[in-house]
């Protein structure tokens, strides 16, 4: 840490959130930990948000007001990263708010021996008609506690920025940034950050962040299938990651995980699109990824094979399937169980007891019998990558 620099920089992109912004800023300035700065980046707000930011900056020198391109959250976060002076960096959304010990808890946790990142839990604050179903909303909650590797965290943790503390030295050393002009920029950033050996400490019992589910947010519009021109940004952000992996020389080590997640994101993206948009999505995926090369010994799903062979119709046939099918199991006309098959997992229940589970989205996943690991299916989980030498 440079002398005179804060320990933590909090990056706060702001775009037309004057209704929520004072609550957010008050919660940040009311932290039990004082050695931090707030980089409030106004990206072209048309309401009173900019005036609110400057008012708070006049009252508290820890608030620094920056500006970036209108409506571009990736550019706003990049501007914050460039200006940050802290040893660690955290992110907050301007329509949310935090508990008083949010910064201090994560900062103290990341300083513990054998810890490279700390993650907290959140409280969901649902506004009416926010577009999220119950399962999608609960998916934002942290489900794990204790320590895990970055490789495991990539599969287990939500790709959100606001519950994590990042090492700014790593971000700058590895040239990690956000894709600009695209949504799902946080997903890209976190995949890149988790491309190195490291350990996450998950604080499941600490609900320190209040995440607001609202209808007119980026995710709210996405779940309500409102056309904004950003419906396929997840694929463009994934291409941004691919180019970074190649540029940094990490492609061979990360290709298996990258392609497994691309498979999963294609189906997630298809769920948020209208049926008539699926052909354009298939064409976009092929245009972005058909030219990539596979390292030796990397197995891929049939979906990825269709992309690599530029087979639009075959890819579309996969994407057009129902999200989930349920097949009843009968013997002599008596129901004794059911089989549930979807794009994320397959499950088998016998007399109400789950006896089989396979995560199909992650390169075949892993098979479980009565909740216990029972060998790999298809290619199974990819081994954890060896440490990358710089």
């Amino acid at each position: 840490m440079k002398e005179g620099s804060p320990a933590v920089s909090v990056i706060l992109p702001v775009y037309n959130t004057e209704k929520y912004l004072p609550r957010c800023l008050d919660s940040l300035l009311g932290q039990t930990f004082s050695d931090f700065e707030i980089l409030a980046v106004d990206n072209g707000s048309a309401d009173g948000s900019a005036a609110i930011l400057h008012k708070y900056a006049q009252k508290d020198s820890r608030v620094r007001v920056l500006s970036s391109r209108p409506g571009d959250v990736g550019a706003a976060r990049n501007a914050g990263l460039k200006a940050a002076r802290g040893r660690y960096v955290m992110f907050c959304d301007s329509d949310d708010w935090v508990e008083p010990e949010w910064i201090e808890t994560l900062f103290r946790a990341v300083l513990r021996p054998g810890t490279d990142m700390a993650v907290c839990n959140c409280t969901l604050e649902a506004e009416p008609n926010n577009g999220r179903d119950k399962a999608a909303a609960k998916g934002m909650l942290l489900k794990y506690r204790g320590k895990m590797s970055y490789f495991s965290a990539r599969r287990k943790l939500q790709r959100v920025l606001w519950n994590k503390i990042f090492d700014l030295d790593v971000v700058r050393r590895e040239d990690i940034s956000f894709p600009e002009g695209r949504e799902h920029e946080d997903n890209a950033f976190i995949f890149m950050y988790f491309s190195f050996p490291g350990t996450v400490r998950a604080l499941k019992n600490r609900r320190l962040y209040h995440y607001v589910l609202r209808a007119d947010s980026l995710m709210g519009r996405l779940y309500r299938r409102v056309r904004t021109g950003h419906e396929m940004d997840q694929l463009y952000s994934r291409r941004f990651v691919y180019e970074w992996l190649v540029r940094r020389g990490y492609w061979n080590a990360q290709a298996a995980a990258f392609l497994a997640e691309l498979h999963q994101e294609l189906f997630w993206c298809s769920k948020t699109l209208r049926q008539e948009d699926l052909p354009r999505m298939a064409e976009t995926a092929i245009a972005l990824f058909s030219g990539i090369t596979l390292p030796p010994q990397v197995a891929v799903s049939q979906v990825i094979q269709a992309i690599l062979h530029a087979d639009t119709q075959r890819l579309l046939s996969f994407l057009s399937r129902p999200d989930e099918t349920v097949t009843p199991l009968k013997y002599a006309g008596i129901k004794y169980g059911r089989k549930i098959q979807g794009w994320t997992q397959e499950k088998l229940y016998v007399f109400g007891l789950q006896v089989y589970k396979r995560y199909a989205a992650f390169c075949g996943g892993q098979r479980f019998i009565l909740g216990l690991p029972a060998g790999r299916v298809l290619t199974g989980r990819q081994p954890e990558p060896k440490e990358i030498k710089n």
Side-chain angles (χ1 to χ4, degrees), residues 19-278:
K19 174 183 174 182
Y20 307 91
L21 190 53
R23 178 180 64 186
C24 176
L25 289 168
D26 287 339
S27 71
L28 288 173
L29 294 173
Q31 292 293 296
T32 57
F33 184 82
S34 60
D35 191 14
F36 69 94
E37 64 176 351
I38 300 173
L39 299 167
V41 189
D42 176 40
N43 49 338
S45 296
D47 61 1
S49 295
I52 293 172
L53 291 179
H54 287 289
K55 178 181 177 181
Y56 274 81
Q58 289 176 356
K59 293 191 300 182
D60 196 313
S61 61
R62 291 176 297 177
V63 180
R64 298 167 58 196
V65 181
L66 309 173
S67 60
S68 69
R69 287 198 300 271
D72 190 339
V73 67
R77 287 182 169 136
N78 283 338
L81 286 176
K82 186 176 180 180
R85 299 175 299 176
R87 175 65 174 82
Y88 294 93
V89 63
M90 298 172 66
F91 296 88
C92 183
D93 292 344
S94 60
D95 53 352
D96 300 334
W97 77 96
V98 296
E99 292 294 321
E101 63 274 18
W102 176 61
I103 296 178
E104 182 172 11
T105 300
L106 291 180
F107 179 70
R108 302 298 180 199
V110 81
L111 293 181
R112 293 176 64 178
T115 303
D116 300 293
M117 172 186 282
V119 184
C120 71
N121 210 341
C122 72
T123 299
L124 300 175
E125 308 288 351
E127 293 189 349
N129 304 315
N130 63 77
R132 246 71 68 91
D133 59 29
K134 199 171 184 179
K138 285 189 174 181
M140 306 304 294
L141 299 175
L142 184 62
K143 301 176 180 63
Y144 304 92
R145 74 174 73 187
K147 293 171 70 173
M148 68 185 80
S149 69
Y150 279 1
F151 183 77
S152 297
R154 220 188 230 166
R155 300 192 304 268
K156 293 179 178 179
L157 300 182
Q158 274 286 349
R159 300 294 176 81
V160 295
L161 298 166
W162 37 258
N163 66 349
K164 301 173 178 68
I165 185 167
F166 300 89
D167 188 328
L168 191 56
D169 285 349
V170 173
V171 171
R172 287 175 172 165
R173 183 191 72 215
E174 300 296 342
D175 192 27
I176 301 173
S177 62
F178 294 91
E180 299 189 1
R182 303 290 179 186
E183 294 176 4
H184 303 287
E185 77 296 332
D186 48 355
N187 196 323
F189 184 90
I190 291 174
F191 185 97
M192 291 185 284
Y193 195 90
F194 281 161
S195 295
F196 314 101
T199 301
V200 178
R201 188 178 296 275
L203 310 175
K204 180 183 176 183
N205 294 334
R206 304 304 304 270
R207 295 197 176 205
L208 304 177
Y209 194 94
H210 292 262
Y211 181 68
V212 178
L213 306 169
R214 58 188 182 95
D216 58 343
S217 68
L218 296 178
M219 294 304 295
R221 294 198 300 270
L222 184 70
Y223 277 104
R224 291 186 296 113
R225 291 180 169 83
V226 176
R227 280 197 175 100
T228 62
H230 294 274
E231 290 77 22
M232 298 172 203
D233 276 7
Q234 195 154 355
L235 302 183
Y236 287 99
S237 291
R238 178 63 51 172
R239 175 70 192 192
F240 180 87
V241 173
Y242 168 73
E243 292 172 355
W244 176 85
L245 289 171
V246 172
R247 186 170 67 251
R248 302 296 297 177
Y250 302 148
W251 171 241
N252 285 355
Q254 299 295 330
F258 175 92
L259 293 169
E261 292 194 9
L262 175 60
H263 172 120
Q264 190 167 355
E265 287 173 350
L266 283 163
F267 281 91
W268 188 89
C269 191
S270 70
K271 288 177 63 179
T272 63
L273 289 175
R274 302 179 186 184
Q275 196 69 22
E276 59 267 30
D277 293 327
L278 290 181

